[in-house]
Amino acid sequence: MADLAWTSRGRTRRSTRTMRVTVSAVVVAAVALAVLVVPPLVQLDQQAVDLSMKLRPPSAAHPFGTDDVGRDLLLRCVYGLRVSLLVGLVAAFVATLIGTAVGAAAAAFGGWTDRLLMRLVDTFSSVPHLLLGIFVVAVFRPGVWPVIVSVALTHWLSTARIVRSEVLSLRSRPYIDAAISGGATRWRVTVRHLLPGVLPQAGLAAVLMVPHAMWHESALSFLGLGLPTHQASLGNLVQSARGSLLAGDWWPTLFPGLFLIVPTLAVAGLAGAWRERINPRRRSELML
């Protein structure tokens, strides 16, 4: 009887995990389809104003309602999601490259190189990400690329630590000792054996970094330091809706917030499945 209950519990957990992954994949696919298909088909005038349609509630003509200057909120949410997703993807890719290079170099070469690079990581970590990002963005004019640079330069630290830890673990493997005994240089061992071994962990870190970078961009735009105020981004939409929320108009804040939260949860669901796949021991522990 106990074995039957144990088996049933394991099946229930597997079914729940499968459903979570399926729902997350559907949401991610819908987001990708929306940002790729809608903007080319429906053009948006970023500076259009129609005060006669100001703050209309959700209706058949405007499913998400209109904003404080009469623009369709659904279309602006899609355009804002496209910008935020672009920032997240590019910044996560650049940050992963930087973090992987720093972490791999620190662990592979060791000695003073490791100490110097890790002290550099500790120095950057001592400064809050948002504060450092504000400083980087303040150097440039408002736009997409300054935000990408800001997010990328403040989000490679965790990847560097993860890659360093993985490389240190791989260095103790027998095949690494065999390669070194065979006369392979440190560079060759790093490129041929160590880096391929850390790519799954680095890829997982990059995936998890995408929603984090989207939130970071939204925070900068909400503070007025990211994209120009007329350009649709999720942070700008939430920032411009503050006055409307205080007046009782809930939709200009709710829908941009959902466009930010739902993709974040979907990516987290897929990343969790990926983590369980590349770490079978953790997956077996979760099954208990």
Side-chain angles (χ1 to χ4, degrees), residues 66-103:
T66 60
D67 63 6
D68 55 348
V69 292
R71 295 170 294 194
D72 183 77
L73 195 58
L74 173 58
L75 191 57
R76 285 184 61 79
C77 283
V78 173
Y79 270 78
L81 180 61
R82 183 182 67 164
V83 172
S84 298
L85 194 59
L86 171 66
V87 172
L89 289 172
V90 178
F93 177 74
V94 175
T96 301
L97 287 181
I98 297 173
T100 302
V102 172

Side-chain angles (χ1 to χ4, degrees), residues 7 23 39 54 87 89 95 124 161 170 182 198 215 226 235-236 244 248 251 253 264 271 275 285:
T7 303
V23 172
K54 175 181 178 181
V87 172
L89 289 172
F124 273 90
R161 290 196 176 99
L170 291 174
V198 302
W215 280 89
N236 279 341
S244 303
W251 58 92
T253 304
T264 298
R275 183 188 295 113
E285 292 172 354

